[in-house]
Amino acid sequence: MSTTIRLFFLSLLAVSLSGCGFSLRGSTSAMDETVSVYLNAQNPSDATAVSIRQALENSGVSVVQSDSADYTLALSAEQFSARPTTVNGRARAAQYELVLAIEFSLQQADTLLIPEETLAANRSYFEDLANISGSNEEQILLRTEMRTELVDKVIRRVATAAENASP
């Protein structure tokens, strides 16, 4: 009897979640696979630009090298900054705030869908003076995580704008 009730509530939950449009992050395609995007990056070899290109291609979007694409995604070079937020007893920085930002815009033909906008990802970390190498590795890891977050933000923002612009 109790397994029947559990099964009923489990199936009711599954139907409710699918009915409301719930899906796991990254489980749906970012954009319609029939569109093409011209990625106009200020620095095409920039790690964020490369990651955005890969994310678009992985979702099935054609990334082309001409202005005749359906959409033009303009990217600035990524901007990274680290600023001390706390100091230790020796008046040395103990904690840093890391910020990774990128400016982008999206255009469809002559229509500006997303005017120049800045997205940023922030992290903070404590610098261990006894283990400088470990602190440097942690900063590299945090920078990679921030880049992944920025790429996800840009792709979601572009996909939403492209979806709303489609007739």
Side-chain angles (χ1 to χ4, degrees):
M1 178 75 171
S2 66
T3 57
T4 306
I5 293 173
R6 283 188 209 155
L7 185 60
F8 172 73
F9 282 116
L10 185 61
S11 58
L12 182 65
L13 178 65
V15 168
S16 298
L17 286 176
S18 65
C20 75
F22 172 80
S23 65
L24 294 174
R25 182 182 287 184
S27 64
T28 59
S29 178
M31 294 177 68
D32 184 14
E33 294 180 359
T34 60
V35 301
S36 60
V37 174
Y38 170 55
L39 188 60
N40 183 10
Q42 188 176 11
N43 183 1
S45 62
D46 191 44
T48 304
V50 170
S51 296
I52 288 173
R53 175 183 300 280
Q54 289 173 345
L56 288 169
E57 289 173 347
N58 289 343
S59 66
V61 174
S62 300
V63 180
V64 296
Q65 297 295 326
S66 70
D67 292 335
S68 64
D70 299 322
Y71 298 96
T72 300
L73 177 60
L75 296 174
S76 70
E78 70 179 23
Q79 297 119 19
F80 177 75
S81 66
R83 77 178 176 95
T85 55
T86 61
V87 293
N88 61 19
R90 296 181 182 171
R92 290 194 51 163
Q95 183 178 10
Y96 287 90
E97 177 187 32
L98 308 176
V99 179
L100 185 66
I102 192 164
E103 293 178 0
F104 75 102
S105 64
L106 182 69
Q107 190 169 344
Q108 181 182 30
D110 293 333
T111 307
L112 191 61
L113 300 177
I114 301 175
E116 193 168 287
E117 181 176 321
T118 302
L119 293 177
N122 301 12
R123 297 286 190 281
S124 64
Y125 82 102
F126 288 95
E127 183 175 57
D128 183 5
L129 296 176
N131 185 5
I132 295 297
S133 177
S135 291
N136 289 340
E137 290 296 321
E138 181 180 5
Q139 185 177 358
I140 291 169
L141 178 66
L142 289 173
R143 196 169 177 170
T144 302
E145 288 175 3
M146 292 187 317
R147 185 172 295 116
T148 301
E149 181 182 332
L150 265 183
V151 169
D152 289 344
K153 285 180 178 181
V154 169
I155 295 298
R156 283 194 309 266
R157 187 78 175 88
V158 166
T160 302
E163 183 179 300
N164 291 338
S166 296

